[in-house]
Amino acid sequence: MTSQRLLVVDDEATVRELLSAALRFAGFGVSSAATGSEAVAAAEAEPPDLVLLDVMLPDMDGFEVVRRLRELATRSRGPVPVLFLTARDRQADKVTGLSLGADDYVTKPFDLEELIARIRAILRRTSGNPADLLRAGPLTLDPAGHQVTRNGAAVRLSPTEFRLLRYLMENAGQVVSKAQILDRVWRYDFGGDASIVDTYISYLRRKVDVGEPKLIRTVHGVGYVLREPR
């Protein structure tokens, strides 16, 4: 069980209640709001560890909610992490949400298991807890210090290589597709050939998969997975 608290913001009562129940079952503390103003008031009264936020709300859109939450951050403990969870799937909306400082943007319908994995990944990134270093076999990744070591020796990575390794380690044991990697590592800054993923996987292997055990595996026709040694 976890003490981390989530705020679910959605004007559809059924979605709000089902999602809240699923997240409680996953071990989170959950509160909810049906409007943007309710969300801002709740976050100001007791800042959550993460906000799951719909874009389409009856009083103000989710983008305005994020702006107001960022204003609150100047008077409180800091910015609250935000994950947009919305039916608005236009690329322009996604760019807007991420540009405002949201940590992730997930469109409906969504896979609950993947959503929970993304929530936990954001919480690891934003907790600022040294205990939340990412580890897989001989590899250790420090998100805050932007450092990677293998068997205690420093590994120098480019910013893109670091983001790619971090994404693989956050999803260790789970196969991720090239489309998912492009979405999370390159985000909206890339619109070209997906073979760039293969290229950067190759770069990464030459730096972090030297010697045994090999951690980064290809799942042909699907994508890649980082598996810890048995």
Side-chain angles (χ1 to χ4, degrees):
M1 299 295 286
T2 176
S3 60
Q4 292 166 313
R5 295 179 305 101
L6 311 180
L7 174 61
V8 174
V9 186
D10 198 300
D11 64 329
E12 294 186 39
T14 301
V15 173
R16 193 169 62 246
E17 291 164 8
L18 289 176
L19 183 57
S20 295
L23 293 171
R24 289 190 185 101
F25 185 77
F28 296 102
V30 183
S31 56
S32 63
T35 67
S37 55
E38 287 180 11
V40 173
E44 185 171 23
E46 191 174 4
D49 295 296
L50 183 142
V51 178
L52 285 91
L53 179 62
D54 194 5
V55 173
M56 296 177 286
L57 297 170
D59 54 343
M60 68 180 83
D61 65 28
F63 302 137
E64 179 59 27
V65 174
V66 171
R67 293 186 185 96
R68 298 193 184 190
L69 290 177
R70 293 299 179 253
E71 291 174 2
L72 289 179
T74 63
R75 307 194 296 271
S76 63
R77 64 175 188 175
V80 175
V82 173
L83 184 152
F84 275 111
L85 186 60
T86 177
R88 292 269 288 271
D89 58 359
R90 294 188 312 158
Q91 186 73 1
D93 291 324
K94 185 174 183 179
V95 170
T96 298
L98 295 173
S99 298
L100 287 171
D103 297 86
D104 206 343
Y105 194 106
V106 178
T107 56
K108 301 174 183 177
F110 57 88
D111 179 82
L112 182 60
E113 187 175 343
E114 180 184 349
L115 176 66
I116 291 172
R118 289 188 179 220
I119 290 170
R120 287 179 172 150
I122 293 170
L123 291 171
R124 282 197 299 269
R125 290 199 302 267
T126 59
S127 66
N129 187 344
D132 289 331
L133 296 175
L134 299 176
R135 295 183 174 88
L139 283 180
T140 300
L141 185 147
D142 177 2
H146 209 272
Q147 296 178 331
V148 174
T149 60
R150 181 177 172 115
N151 291 323
V155 179
R156 298 188 64 178
L157 299 179
S158 71
T160 301
E161 291 165 349
F162 184 88
R163 291 196 303 270
L164 176 56
L165 179 61
R166 178 173 174 172
Y167 181 60
L168 292 174
M169 293 182 72
E170 286 172 345
N171 294 277
Q174 300 181 47
V175 179
V176 290
S177 68
K178 289 183 185 180
Q180 288 174 306
I181 292 173
L182 285 171
D183 180 56
R184 297 297 299 130
V185 176
W186 277 266
R187 290 196 166 186
Y188 54 85
D189 295 325
F190 180 79
D193 189 350
S195 65
I196 193 171
V197 175
D198 302 319
T199 301
Y200 271 85
I201 287 288
S202 176
Y203 294 160
L204 205 52
R205 279 175 166 153
R206 279 181 281 193
K207 294 184 177 183
V208 303
D209 254 355
V210 291
E212 296 293 336
K214 305 296 185 186
L215 302 177
I216 302 172
R217 311 290 181 84
T218 301
V219 181
H220 294 289
V222 183
Y224 296 96
V225 60
L226 188 145
R227 295 194 191 281
E228 297 191 41
R230 293 182 179 180

